[in-house]
Amino acid sequence: MTYYESTGHLLLTPVDREAPARAVRLRELGLGERTDAELDAFARRVADVLEAPHSGVNFIGEERQFFAGLHHAADSPAGGYPARVLARDHGYCPYVVVRRRALVLEDVRDFARFAGNAVVDESGVRSYVGAPLTDRRGIVLGTVCAVDVVPRRWGTAGLATVKALAAELVALVHAREDRAQADRAQADGA
């Protein structure tokens, strides 16, 4: 079963018209190019809250995805999945970003458009839950997500949880941005 916030057609390869603006915004925020210990800790918390073996804070660029925050269970059959960098056409986060809506896939193999995704074959991913990270300018920067290697009944509770975690992370990103702007203003005034 799949839970969508609203109905809509999912393309096999989603067209991402916001990618150039997102890339600029990610550079402004200093996100999407390097790992981040605070975001790794946040991803670990996502995994704990959702009881999932893998979770991430994923920023979507024009050509690739970058997990600035990442957690995976050492004993999972998928090992170190996901990698820090994935092609833009791998996984499910690009669908969340383009659609600007959370997505729950309890068993990715139930859906032809998702069953053939490379992460299924390469890492054994079977279920996914993710929510968009929409900043104060209305730009979707990426996702907070969790995956499992077995089918999962995330349900509406899982959907609500991942959306709440995404909102929390956006607030953290905004706080970082505000601190950086205050530091620049103070440096300019000194």
Side-chain angles (χ1 to χ4, degrees):
M1 178 168 220
T2 301
Y3 296 87
Y4 297 107
E5 284 188 327
S6 69
T7 59
H9 178 68
L10 293 177
L11 303 173
L12 289 176
T13 304
V15 176
D16 189 355
R17 290 181 177 83
E18 293 182 356
R22 180 181 320 106
V24 168
R25 182 68 171 137
L26 288 171
R27 279 193 297 278
E28 286 175 6
L29 295 168
L31 299 171
E33 293 296 323
R34 64 184 181 280
T35 61
D36 185 310
E38 188 175 18
L39 298 181
D40 278 342
F42 192 90
R44 189 171 28 262
R45 196 167 135 250
V46 170
D48 290 344
V49 169
L50 290 167
E51 299 177 351
H54 307 287
S55 60
V57 175
N58 187 8
F59 298 111
I60 311 291
E62 290 184 86
E63 301 297 325
R64 69 182 186 131
Q65 306 173 59
F66 183 77
F67 287 86
L70 184 62
H71 172 76
H72 62 85
D75 62 345
S76 174
Y81 176 81
R84 289 275 179 183
V85 178
L86 287 177
R88 194 183 154 282
D89 62 347
H90 283 51
Y92 312 101
C93 293
Y95 293 91
V96 172
V97 168
V98 170
R99 294 178 64 246
R100 307 175 64 87
R101 305 243 186 287
L103 174 66
V104 174
L105 298 169
E106 293 181 347
D107 188 340
V108 298
R109 292 182 181 176
D110 288 344
F111 303 91
R113 69 174 50 98
F114 294 124
N117 197 295
V119 298
V120 174
D121 297 333
E122 293 172 14
S123 61
V125 168
R126 290 291 301 274
S127 60
Y128 171 92
V129 59
L133 298 169
T134 307
D135 79 349
R136 58 176 56 131
R137 295 183 187 173
I139 297 172
V140 179
L141 304 172
T143 67
V144 168
C145 64
V147 299
D148 206 331
V149 295
V150 296
R152 285 276 301 266
R153 292 196 51 85
W154 305 99
T156 55
L159 177 63
T161 300
V162 78
K163 288 169 57 179
L165 288 163
E168 184 179 327
L169 184 57
V170 168
L172 182 140
V173 168
H174 290 161
R176 282 183 175 188
E177 181 180 30
D178 294 344
R179 280 192 304 274
Q181 287 174 347
D183 290 347
R184 282 192 298 274
Q186 185 176 20
D188 290 344

